Amino acid sequence: MTAWVQKVTLNTAALLGAAAPVGAVELRGLLDLRLNATNAELSVTQGGFDKSRYDRSRGAFRLGQAQLRADADLLDAWSASVVLSASDDRAGIFDVTEAWLAWNPLPSGAWKTRLKVGAFFPATSFELDYDSLGWTPQHTVSSSALNNWMGEELRTKGIEVNWLRKGRPSGSPHDFGLTAALFTGNDPIGSLLAWRGWSVGDRLAGLTESVPLPDLPVFRPGAELAQQSRAVSAFKEIDDRWGYYLGASYGYALEGVALELSALHYDNRGDPLAIRGGQYSWHTRFHHVGARLHGLGQWELAGQALHGNTLMGAGAVHLDFSAFYLLATHPLGPGTVALRFDKFSTQELQSDVIPLDPNSEDGRAVALAYHWRINPHWSLVTESLTIQSNRAARGLLGQSPDRIERSLTTSLRWRF
C-alpha cells in the first residue's frame, strides 16, 4: 500500500497530460518577488538558529516563491492536481510540493464526500489566501510559526476522506465536516523542532527536499547522534508504519456573520527506534484547533493553536511543543492592514537522556503588514516583522541564547 501511494504521488503529473484533453487542464500560477532588509545573521534555511527566512548575507532582492498549479478533470468524478514550486533558498530550486488525485461524486443525500490520494497539505490553516495555490498567506508576507512549520515538515502522503454537510440547501446556517486520513512518509517530523526550533516565514519544502540543520556537536563524528544526516528529509518513510489524523469542522453563516471552527488530532505512529539513510523516525503527535470570524464590522479575526509531543530513540530526544497565533485584519484605504501575534515554544522533558543536546526554546513574534490588491493579477504586500527568542543550544556554537531579529519585506505578487 505504501508503494502504491508513492506511485500515485510521483505519477500524477504524467497523468495530467496522458489522461486529460489539453483543453481540460487549468493552469494557475504565482510569482512572488521580494525586497528584504534584516539584521538576521544566519537564517534557518542556511543551517542557522535565526528564526527568519532570510539573513543579511544573502542579498536584498529575492525570489520568494514561484508556483504553478495544474488541475485536470479525468474520468467521471475524478480529477488530478499538481503543484510545482521554486525559490532561491532551495538547493534544487524547483520541486513538487503537492500532487494528488481527487474523487468528488455528486451527493446522494445531505452529506458530500470527497476523497484525495497522493501528497497534499491537510486543510488546517486560517491565514492562507482564499484562492491559495499552495501554503501562501493572504495578507502578510510571512506565515505564523505554526503554519511555517507545517509548510516545512508536515505533508499528507496517503488517503484522506472528507465528509461535508452544507446547511444552505436546507436553509440552515450551520455547516459540519469530518475528516479522516491514513498517511505514510512523514516519519522524521519533529526533527526541525527539536534541533533547529520554530521559525517564522513562508518557505515551502518540496517533497524531495532536505532542510539543513545547525552544526551541533551532537552530530559530529563519535558523538551520540552521529548517524543523523546534517539535513532533514521530512517526507521519508523509515519504519513502514501508517500514521493517521482525524478532524472536525463547523461553520456558521447568518446575516453577515460567519464563523469557522476546526479541530485535528495527528499521530504519525512513528517507531522512535528506527533509523534509515541518516534519518531517524520520530513518534510525533499533536492536537490542533483553529477559528476564523467575519462580521465584526469590517474586522476579520483568526487564530490557531497547537500542542504536541515528539520522541526519538529510547529517550534520546523527548520534548513537548506548542504554538499559537492571533491575526486581525481590517480594510484601510485601497488595501488591508494585518496585525499578527505569535507565541511558540519547545520544552525538553526529563526523560531526555542527552543533556549536551538542549532542545528547549521560547519565542514570540509580531508582524504588521499592509496588503494592496492592485488588480486581480497584481498585489503588493509590505511587512514589518520582529522576532524575539531564547534557545540555549545557541551557546553550543558560541552564540548568545537570546536573539531579537527585525526585518522589513516588500513582496510583489503576480497571479495568473
Side-chain angles (χ1 to χ4, degrees):
M1 189 71 167
T2 300
W4 177 70
V5 172
Q6 293 283 81
K7 186 175 181 180
V8 168
T9 301
L10 295 175
N11 291 327
T12 300
L15 185 60
L16 277 169
V22 173
V25 178
E26 178 186 6
L27 296 177
R28 290 184 289 158
L30 167 68
L31 179 65
D32 186 337
L33 302 176
R34 298 188 183 170
L35 178 64
N36 174 264
T38 179
N39 68 341
E41 296 179 2
L42 190 61
S43 73
V44 292
T45 61
Q46 304 303 312
F49 274 128
D50 283 354
K51 301 301 179 185
S52 306
R53 178 178 176 182
Y54 303 124
D55 59 48
R56 59 191 182 188
S57 68
R58 301 281 291 176
F61 294 96
R62 309 299 301 261
L63 171 61
Q65 56 182 302
Q67 295 191 53
L68 179 65
R69 173 168 171 169
D71 299 291
D73 294 326
L74 303 178
L75 301 174
D76 297 326
W78 286 92
S79 63
S81 299
V82 174
V83 182
L84 306 176
S85 71
S87 65
D88 61 9
D89 51 8
R90 177 183 293 159
I93 306 297
F94 292 95
D95 206 338
V96 177
T97 53
E98 300 180 85
W100 72 90
L101 299 175
W103 180 58
N104 290 278
L106 292 174
S108 58
W111 289 85
K112 177 176 175 58
T113 301
R114 183 194 66 188
L115 182 144
K116 295 176 72 174
V117 181
F120 47 88
F121 292 104
T124 55
S125 177
F126 280 133
E127 61 178 336
L128 298 185
D129 192 326
Y130 289 104
D131 190 31
S132 177
L133 295 172
W135 208 244
T136 307
Q138 181 181 18
H139 294 304
T140 56
V141 177
S142 65
S143 295
S144 62
L146 186 157
N147 282 314
N148 188 69
W149 172 63
M150 289 186 173
E152 280 195 298
E153 223 182 353
L154 177 66
R155 209 66 47 90
T156 302
K157 293 175 67 177
I159 304 171
E160 179 190 86
V161 183
N162 176 266
W163 298 274
L164 179 64
R165 187 184 191 280
K166 286 284 191 180
R168 180 177 296 180
S170 61
S172 170
H174 306 286
D175 298 336
F176 299 94
L178 297 172
T179 300
L182 293 173
F183 61 86
T184 183
N186 213 174
D187 291 332
I189 183 173
S191 306
L192 292 181
L193 288 181
W195 289 324
R196 190 202 68 186
W198 297 92
S199 60
V200 181
D202 69 321
R203 187 176 181 279
L204 303 178
L207 293 176
T208 66
E209 184 181 3
S210 295
V211 180
L213 291 170
D215 185 26
L216 293 168
V218 75
F219 301 142
R220 295 170 187 170
E224 293 92 333
L225 300 176
Q227 294 184 76
Q228 170 64 43
S229 169
R230 296 302 180 90
V232 173
S233 300
F235 312 123
K236 293 288 188 181
E237 178 56 41
I238 298 170
D239 59 8
D240 299 321
R241 292 184 180 182
W242 285 77
Y244 73 93
Y245 59 80
L246 301 172
S249 64
Y250 168 75
Y252 174 86
L254 185 66
E255 297 180 354
V257 176
L259 173 66
E260 300 170 75
L261 302 174
S262 71
L264 184 82
H265 171 71
Y266 171 100
D267 188 341
N268 75 342
R269 297 183 64 249
D271 178 1
L273 300 179
I275 180 172
R276 182 184 297 172
Q279 303 291 327
Y280 288 98
S281 175
W282 298 62
H283 186 192
T284 299
R285 297 162 289 177
F286 65 80
H287 302 288
H288 167 272
V289 293
R292 181 161 53 194
L293 176 64
H294 312 254
L296 298 177
Q298 292 183 295
W299 287 97
E300 179 178 313
L301 305 177
Q304 293 174 248
L306 178 151
H307 180 78
N309 176 273
T310 188
L311 170 68
M312 188 277 287
V317 182
H318 196 193
L319 71 152
D320 289 339
F321 57 90
S322 61
F324 77 87
Y325 76 86
L326 297 173
L327 173 67
T329 64
H330 192 281
L332 180 64
T336 301
V337 65
L339 178 64
R340 187 186 68 227
F341 174 77
D342 259 296
K343 185 81 169 59
F344 51 87
S345 67
T346 59
Q347 181 61 51
E348 188 174 71
L349 302 179
Q350 292 184 352
S351 54
D352 190 301
V353 298
I354 305 180
L356 297 180
D357 176 34
N359 307 119
S360 295
E361 75 171 15
D362 182 74
R364 59 199 56 83
V366 176
L368 178 63
Y370 188 75
H371 175 206
W372 177 27
R373 179 65 67 88
I374 302 170
N375 58 44
H377 298 288
W378 291 92
S379 62
L380 192 68
V381 185
T382 299
E383 177 187 88
S384 172
L385 177 65
T386 300
I387 310 171
Q388 181 179 1
S389 62
N390 175 280
R391 187 173 181 88
R394 289 176 176 143
L396 300 176
L397 302 182
Q399 305 171 8
S400 170
D402 295 301
R403 188 72 52 86
I404 298 178
E405 301 165 52
R406 295 183 176 90
S407 63
L408 181 64
T409 307
T410 296
S411 167
L412 179 63
R413 298 172 178 174
W414 174 62
R415 286 179 172 81
F416 66 88

